[in-house]
C-alpha cells in the first residue's frame, strides 16, 4: 500500500520526463507523435490501475484512519517530512484525478490537440496529474504548498500554447490570480507551522488548534483562505475562471474543472477546519455569504449567456455554472457540520464527473461545428443536435440534467446535504442567517434548472420556428381575397410547415473513442446518484473524526 501510493504520486512525474526523450525504435509506431501520445495513455493507465488497487486494498472499515502512510525526514532543520497518506476524504479525489487524466489521455490519443509538439503536451499533462495527486496525498504543510503550486505552470502552458482565441490573456490572468493568492496562502501556512512547532498535518489536526491562539488562527484562516478561495473559485475571486475555460483546450478544461478546482475546497477541509477551528468559526458566516452570492451570481450570469441573441459562449456558460456549483461546496463547508461537510465532499466528486463530461461534449461540438456560440449552435433548421447527432444530443441533455441536480443522479446529493447542513449549522453560528443562506441557495437551484433547460432546448432542439406573419390590412381588401389571386410560394420559406419536411443537417455522431472516454463518467454519475452511501460511507467517518479534533 505504501509503495502503491508513492507510485501513484511519482509515476506521472517520471512519465513526464520520459515523454521528452526519444521513443525506442520498437515503440515508435507509425510516427513519433503517435508514440508519445500512446506513452501518455500507458502512464496514466498504470496510475489509474494503481489507484484502483489502492482503493481495493483500503481498509473500508476504518476510513477515518490514515492508510498507506510514508513518513520520511526531508528537511530536518525545519522538520519538513515526506509524509504521505490517504483516508476517506482524500481517496475519492485521488481516484477521480487518476480517472479523468486517463480519459483525457485516451481522448487526446485519438484526437490530438492542435498546436505544438505532442511531446510537450503529454509531459505537461503528466506533471499536472502528479501535482494534483500529490496535493490530495501529502500530509505536510510545506509539501502541500509545493504540490498546490506545481500545477500552475503546466496549466498555464496548456492554455497559452494549445488554447483557442484569447489564450495568452487568459493564461496570464490564470497564473497571476493563482500566484498572488498562493503567496498569501504561504504566509498563513508558515504562520501555523512556526507557531505550532510542526508542519505535520496529522499532528496539527490532532492538536485541533490548541497550540494556536485565536488571533493567530484568525490571521491564518484569512491568509490561507484567500489562496484557497482563488483556486476554488469563490466569488469575488472567480473572474479568472471563465476566461481560462473559454480559451483552454478540451483536455485543459476537463482537468481544470474536474480536479484543479477541488484543490481549493479540499484545502479548506483538510487544513483549515481541523487546524484552525476557532478561526473558521469566526469566518464561517462570511464564507457562507460569499458562497451564496456565488451561487446566485453564477446562475444569473449563465441565464444572461443562455438567452437568444446574447452571443453566449457555451464553454463560458459552463465555467460560470462551476462558480455556482462550487458555491454549494463552500456553503457545506461553512456550516461546520458533518452533514454539510459530507455534502461538500460529495458535491466535489459529482461536479468533477458531470462538468468533466460537459466539457468533453462541448469540445466535441466545437470540433464538429467550429463554434461554441449558443446562437450559432441553435440555428440551421431541423432538430439541432437531436436531429443531427442524436446520441451526442442525448449525452449533452444527460450532462445538463445531471448538472441541475436531478434526483437519482450524482449532482443531487451534494447540494441537498449542503442545504441540510445550513438548515442546522454548528453550535454558535447564527441560525437565522444560515436559514437565509439556505433559502437563497434553494433559489439558486431553480435558476440553475432554468438556464440548463434553456441551453438544452436551444442546443438539442434548435431555434423555435418563427410565428406566422401577421395579416396586413391589404389582406382584407377585395382585391387580396379575389379567387384568381395566386397563393404565395412557400417552397423556399424559412422554418415552418414546409421547412419542417426537410432533412435535418447531419453531424458525425459519437465516435468509438468518445464512447470510451465519456462512458465511465456517465456510469459513475448514475451509480453515485443511485448509491450515495458508496461515497458517503468513506467520507463520513473521516469527517466526524476531523471535526471532533482527531477523536474517532
Amino acid at each position: 500500500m505504501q509503495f502503491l501510493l508513492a507510485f501513484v504520486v511519482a509515476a506521472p512525474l517520471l512519465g513526464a520526463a520520459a515523454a521528452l526523450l526519444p521513443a525506442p525504435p520498437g515503440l515508435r509506431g507509425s510516427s513519433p507523435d503517435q508514440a508519445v501520445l500512446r506513452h501518455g495513455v500507458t502512464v496514466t493507465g498504470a496510475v489509474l490501475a494503481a489507484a484502483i488497487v489502492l482503493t481495493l486494498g483500503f481498509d473500508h472499515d476504518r476510513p477515518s484512519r490514515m492508510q498507506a502512510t510514508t513518513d520520511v525526514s526531508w528537511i530536518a532543520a525545519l522538520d519538513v517530512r515526506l509524509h504521505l497518506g490517504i483516508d476517506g476524504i482524500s481517496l475519492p479525489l485521488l481516484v477521480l484525478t487518476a480517472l479523468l487524466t486517463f480519459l483525457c489521455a485516451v481522448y487526446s490519443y485519438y484526437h490530438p490537440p492542435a498546436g505544438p509538439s505532442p511531446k510537450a503536451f503529454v509531459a505537461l499533462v503528466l506533471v499536472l496529474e502528479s501535482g494534483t495527486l500529490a496535493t490530495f496525498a501529502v500530509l505536510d504543510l510545506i509539501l502541500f504548498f509545493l504540490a498546490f503550486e506545481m500545477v500552475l505552470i503546466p496549466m498555464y502552458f496548456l492554455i497559452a500554447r494549445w488554447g483557442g482565441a484569447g489564450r495568452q490573456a487568459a493564461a496570464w490572468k490564470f497564473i497571476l490570480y493563482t500566484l498572488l493568492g498562493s503567496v498569501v496562502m504561504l504566509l498563513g501556512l508558515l504562520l501555523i507551522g512556526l507557531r505550532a512547532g510542526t508542519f505535520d498535518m496529522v499532528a496539527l489536526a490532532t492538536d485541533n488548534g490548541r497550540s494556536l491562539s485565536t488571533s493567530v488562527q484568525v490571521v491564518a484562516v484569512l491568509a490561507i483562505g484567500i489562496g484557497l478561495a482563488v483556486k476554488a473559485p469563490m466569488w469575488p475571486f472567480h473572474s479568472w475562471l471563465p476566461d481560462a475555460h473559454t480559451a483552454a483546450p478540451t483536455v485543459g478544461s476537463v482537468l481544470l474543472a474536474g480536479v484543479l478546482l477541488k484543490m481549493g475546497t479540499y484545502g479548506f477541509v483538510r487544513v483549515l477546519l481541523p487546524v484552525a477551528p476557532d478561526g473558521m468559526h469566526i469566518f464561517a458566516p462570511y464564507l457562507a455569504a460569499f458562497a451564496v452570492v456565488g451561487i446566485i451570481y453564477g446562475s444569473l450570469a449563465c441565464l444572461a449567456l443562455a438567452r437568444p441573441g446574447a452571443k453566449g459562449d457555451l464553454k463560458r456558460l459552463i465555467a460560470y455554472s462551476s462558480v455556482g456549483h462550487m458555491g454549494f461546496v463552500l456553503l457545506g463547508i461553512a456550516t461546520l457540520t458533518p452533514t454539510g461537510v459530507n455534502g461538500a465532499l460529495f458535491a466535489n466528486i459529482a461536479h468533477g464527473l458531470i462538468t468533466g463530461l460537459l466539457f468533453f461534449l462541448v469540445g466535441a461540438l466545437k470540433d464538429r461545428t467550429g463554434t461554441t456560440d449558443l446562437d450559432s449552435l441553435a440555428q440551421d433548421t431541423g432538430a439541432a443536435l437531436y436531429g443531427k447527432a442524436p446520441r451526442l444530443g442525448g449525452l449533452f441533455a444527460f450532462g445538463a440534467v445531471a448538472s441541475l441536480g436531478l434526483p437519482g443522479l450524482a449532482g443531487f446529493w451534494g447540494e441537498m446535504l449542503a442545504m441540510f447542513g445550513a438548515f442546522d449549522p454548528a453550535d454558535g453560528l447564527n441560525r437565522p442567517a444560515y436559514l437565509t443562506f439556505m433559502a437563497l441557495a434553494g433559489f439558486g437551484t431553480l435558476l440553475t434548472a432554468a438556464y440548463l433547460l434553456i441551453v438544452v432546448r436551444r442546443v438539442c432542439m434548435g431555434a423555435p420556428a418563427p410565428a406566422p406573419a401577421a395579416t396586413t390590412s391589404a389582406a382584407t381588401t377585395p382585391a387580396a381575397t379575389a379567387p384568381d389571386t395566386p397563393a404565395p410560394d412557400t417552397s423556399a420559406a424559412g422554418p415552418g410547415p414546409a421547412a419542417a419536411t426537410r432533412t435535418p443537417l447531419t453531424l458525425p455522431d459519437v465516435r468509438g473513442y468518445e464512447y470510451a472516454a465519456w462512458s465511465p463518467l456517465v456510469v459513475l454519475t448514475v451509480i453515485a446518484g443511485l448509491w450515495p452511501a458508496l461515497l458517503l460511507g468513506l467520507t463520513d467517518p473521516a469527517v466526524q473524526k476531523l471535526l471532533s479534533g482527531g477523536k474517532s
Side-chain angles (χ1 to χ4, degrees):
M1 292 285 283
Q2 292 174 318
F3 170 78
L4 280 175
L5 183 57
F7 175 83
V8 164
V9 173
L13 203 57
L14 298 175
L20 299 176
L21 300 174
L27 299 177
R28 288 176 184 170
S30 60
S31 71
D33 289 351
Q34 183 191 43
V36 74
L37 290 169
R38 186 171 58 247
H39 170 78
V41 175
T42 303
V43 174
T44 56
V47 171
L48 176 59
I52 293 172
V53 174
L54 191 66
T55 303
L56 295 175
F58 187 81
D59 186 354
H60 292 264
D61 293 329
R62 294 190 291 175
S64 61
R65 184 174 66 88
M66 282 294 170
Q67 302 181 37
T69 55
T70 299
D71 191 3
V72 180
S73 178
W74 183 37
I75 305 176
L78 296 176
D79 195 27
V80 177
R81 309 184 66 82
L82 294 174
H83 194 180
L84 304 177
I86 53 170
D87 63 356
I89 293 173
S90 53
L91 179 62
L93 291 167
L94 199 81
V95 176
L96 175 67
T97 301
L99 173 65
L100 283 178
T101 313
F102 172 68
L103 298 181
C104 286
V106 171
Y107 184 83
S108 299
Y109 178 77
Y110 291 98
H111 185 76
S117 166
K119 273 193 172 188
F121 177 84
V122 171
L124 289 170
V125 168
L126 290 174
V127 172
L128 185 70
E129 180 184 29
S130 181
T132 310
L133 291 168
T135 301
F136 300 137
V138 298
L139 297 172
D140 184 277
L141 290 181
I142 300 300
L143 286 182
F144 176 81
F145 175 78
L146 294 177
F148 200 87
E149 296 304 288
M150 186 176 169
V151 304
L152 301 185
I153 300 302
M155 183 53 70
Y156 167 82
F157 281 110
L158 286 174
I159 297 172
R161 301 294 299 277
W162 286 271
R167 59 183 182 270
Q168 294 292 342
W172 275 110
K173 195 171 186 179
F174 163 77
I175 199 75
L176 289 176
Y177 264 73
T178 49
L179 276 178
L180 289 173
S182 297
V183 169
V184 181
M185 184 177 76
L186 176 60
L187 297 177
L189 294 173
L190 290 174
L191 176 64
I192 287 177
L194 295 175
R195 287 300 182 95
T198 181
F199 291 100
D200 187 89
M201 293 162 64
V202 175
L204 288 167
T206 303
D207 181 69
N208 201 222
R210 285 182 284 269
S211 61
L212 301 173
S213 66
T214 301
S215 59
V216 169
Q217 291 189 38
V218 167
V219 173
V221 169
L222 182 61
I224 298 171
I226 289 174
L228 298 175
V230 171
K231 187 66 70 71
M234 183 182 79
W235 183 91
F237 304 107
H238 69 283
S239 60
W240 61 270
L241 184 70
D243 291 338
H245 270 309
T246 304
T250 297
V251 167
S253 291
V254 171
L255 294 176
L256 181 59
V259 292
L260 262 68
L261 303 188
K262 314 303 177 286
M263 295 166 65
T265 52
Y266 174 79
F268 276 104
V269 175
R270 176 63 74 197
V271 178
L272 292 184
L273 280 181
V275 175
D278 294 338
M280 276 298 293
H281 198 277
I282 292 171
F283 279 106
Y286 302 99
L287 178 62
F290 284 131
V292 170
V293 171
I295 293 170
I296 302 297
Y297 171 84
S299 299
L300 292 176
C302 289
L303 276 173
L305 290 169
R307 63 184 176 85
K311 290 293 179 183
D313 186 281
L314 192 51
K315 288 187 74 175
R316 195 174 190 86
L317 184 146
I318 297 174
Y320 272 112
S321 77
S322 293
V323 176
H325 289 306
M326 299 311 288
F328 280 100
V329 177
L330 293 168
L331 175 62
I333 294 170
T335 66
L336 307 183
T337 62
T339 301
V341 176
N342 276 303
L345 295 172
F346 197 102
N348 255 346
I349 302 299
H351 179 264
L353 296 172
I354 297 167
T355 308
L357 174 63
L358 284 173
F359 274 118
F360 268 134
L361 293 166
V362 174
L365 270 177
K366 187 174 183 179
D367 293 336
R368 287 160 168 78
T369 64
T371 183
T372 52
D373 178 72
L374 268 170
D375 290 334
S376 299
L377 292 172
Q379 293 169 0
D380 294 337
T381 76
L385 272 188
Y386 286 159
K388 302 171 190 174
R391 293 180 182 85
L392 186 62
L395 281 172
F396 185 84
F398 172 85
V401 297
S403 185
L404 64 81
L406 184 73
L409 298 177
F412 171 74
W413 295 104
E415 296 180 1
M416 184 196 70
L417 290 172
M419 288 190 286
F420 275 1
F423 179 77
D424 188 18
D427 294 340
L429 297 178
N430 189 326
R431 188 162 186 256
Y434 273 81
L435 289 176
T436 303
F437 298 149
M438 182 194 71
L440 291 173
F443 179 64
T445 63
L446 299 179
L447 296 177
T448 301
Y451 73 73
L452 284 170
L453 292 176
I454 290 172
V455 168
V456 169
R457 186 196 68 195
R458 299 190 65 205
V459 174
C460 295
M461 303 178 186
T471 304
T472 62
S473 59
T476 62
T477 64
T481 57
D484 57 346
T485 301
D489 180 12
T490 61
S491 60
T501 63
R502 290 182 296 175
T503 302
L505 299 175
T506 58
L507 295 173
D509 215 332
V510 183
R511 303 179 174 98
Y513 71 89
E514 291 172 331
Y515 275 123
W518 304 342
S519 295
L521 302 179
V522 174
V523 171
L524 289 174
T525 298
V526 174
I527 290 175
L530 296 178
W531 192 13
L534 188 66
L535 183 57
L536 293 174
L538 277 175
T539 62
D540 185 56
V543 167
Q544 297 278 0
K545 180 178 179 180
L546 180 140
L547 292 177
S548 64
K551 301 174 183 177
S552 300

